[in-house]
């Protein structure tokens, strides 16, 4: 019933605030289903979703600290705090969830390949991190530099998006993907790869080739 830019912003904020929880639920649910379909491990899918939400939450916190609390606004050339635009949380969530899951799938694929090779969960995490850490870190540095270049644009919305994306990518590729994920998976051990219908055992399973290689030779064969 009221026109003008202020009314449009208020209406948009109301719509985004109403729909954002459903968007988050749908995106997280779809991501968990896809990871479960790929690895058949519900705990892996749940862990990936929690870690991704953690990195996104950090980016939201940095944006609030800068643009609403005024931390470091002088570096951006702003002299006063500004409200967080309603489109920023939804846009950041959609982009960051996709980027984070991309890193997660790349890392977990290497860990799962190593786990299927020798059946040792802790050693698989070490090998998976060793083979993917350099690639993930390099990709994150490239993405962070690109996103930080948005800060040079004299538009608050673009600056918010750039800082939020860069913060989340750096946090995800360092603290989340290189520290927390390996630590959690090492603590979980073989339980990380448990799936419905699989018996829980304390001993790591081994591939058939390894089991056959470790079987003792028959006595007749050794005597001959």
């Amino acid at each position: 019933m009221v026109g003008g830019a202020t009314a449009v912003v208020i209406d948009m904020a109301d719509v985004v605030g109403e729909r954002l929880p459903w968007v988050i639920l749908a995106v997280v649910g779809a991501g968990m289903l896809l990871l479960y379909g790929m690895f058949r491990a519900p705990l892996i899918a749940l862990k990936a979703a929690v870690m991704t939400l953690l990195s996104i939450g950090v980016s939201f916190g940095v944006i609030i600290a800068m643009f609403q609390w005024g931390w470091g606004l002088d570096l951006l050339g702003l002299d006063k705090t500004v409200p967080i635009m309603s489109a920023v949380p939804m846009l950041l969530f959609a982009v960051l969830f996709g980027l984070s899951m991309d890193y997660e799938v790349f890392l977990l694929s290497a860990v799962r390949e190593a786990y299927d090779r020798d059946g040792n969960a802790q050693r698989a995490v070490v090998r998976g991190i060793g083979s993917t850490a350099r690639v993930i870190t390099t990709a994150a540095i490239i993405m962070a530099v690109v996103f930080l270049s948005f800060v040079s644009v004299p538009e608050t919305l673009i600056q918010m998006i750039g800082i939020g994306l860069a913060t989340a990518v750096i946090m995800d590729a360092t603290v989340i993907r290189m520290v927390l994920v390996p630590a959690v998976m090492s603590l979980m051990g073989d339980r990380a790869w448990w799936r419905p219908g699989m018996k829980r055992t304390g001993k790591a399973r081994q591939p058939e080739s390894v089991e056959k290689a470790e079987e003792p030779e028959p006595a007749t064969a050794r005597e001959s």
Side-chain angles (χ1 to χ4, degrees):
M1 301 299 294
V2 178
T6 303
V8 172
V9 171
I10 293 175
D11 291 342
M12 183 179 295
D14 292 339
V15 173
V16 171
E18 181 182 352
R19 302 288 179 85
L20 184 59
W22 295 103
V23 172
I24 294 176
L25 182 62
V27 173
V28 173
M32 291 180 62
L33 288 176
L34 289 174
L35 280 178
Y36 177 76
M38 182 176 183
F39 298 105
R40 304 295 182 183
L43 294 180
I44 287 292
L46 179 61
K47 182 267 306 173
V50 172
M51 293 297 175
T52 301
L53 292 176
L54 180 60
S55 63
I56 295 175
V58 171
S59 69
F60 287 176
V62 170
I63 291 176
I64 291 174
M66 291 191 66
F67 292 95
Q68 288 194 345
W69 297 352
W71 295 6
L73 280 183
D74 295 338
L75 301 176
L76 302 178
L78 300 177
D79 55 357
K80 62 179 180 179
T81 59
V82 294
I84 305 299
M85 300 181 182
S86 58
V88 172
M90 184 175 293
L91 180 61
L92 288 181
F93 176 81
V95 176
L96 292 176
F97 195 89
L99 288 175
S100 181
M101 281 298 179
D102 186 30
Y103 294 151
E104 181 77 8
V105 170
F106 185 64
L107 173 60
L108 289 179
S109 298
V111 175
R112 181 58 182 266
E113 182 179 355
Y115 181 69
D116 290 339
R117 189 180 303 121
D118 62 7
N120 188 296
Q122 282 74 22
R123 189 158 55 238
V125 173
V126 175
R127 291 179 177 176
I129 291 293
S131 62
T132 60
R134 184 173 300 177
V135 178
I136 292 177
T137 303
T138 304
I141 292 174
I142 295 173
M143 297 299 294
V145 171
V146 172
F147 293 144
L148 286 176
S149 66
F150 294 176
V151 177
S152 62
V153 178
E155 177 63 40
T156 306
L157 176 61
I158 304 299
Q159 292 176 342
M160 287 182 184
I161 294 174
I163 292 174
L165 291 174
T167 301
V169 168
I170 295 172
M171 178 64 62
D172 190 271
T174 55
V175 178
I176 302 295
R177 214 59 56 194
M178 296 292 107
V179 178
L180 293 182
V181 169
V184 172
M185 293 192 65
S186 297
L187 292 174
M188 294 172 65
D190 295 305
R191 291 172 294 181
W193 302 106
W194 173 85
R195 57 185 178 183
M198 178 186 295
K199 294 182 180 180
R200 294 187 177 182
T201 59
K203 183 179 178 180
R205 66 174 185 81
Q206 292 183 343
E208 294 182 358
S209 59
V210 177
E211 293 176 355
K212 291 180 180 179
E214 293 179 352
E215 290 181 358
E217 297 180 359
T220 56
R222 289 198 302 267
E223 293 174 358
S224 60

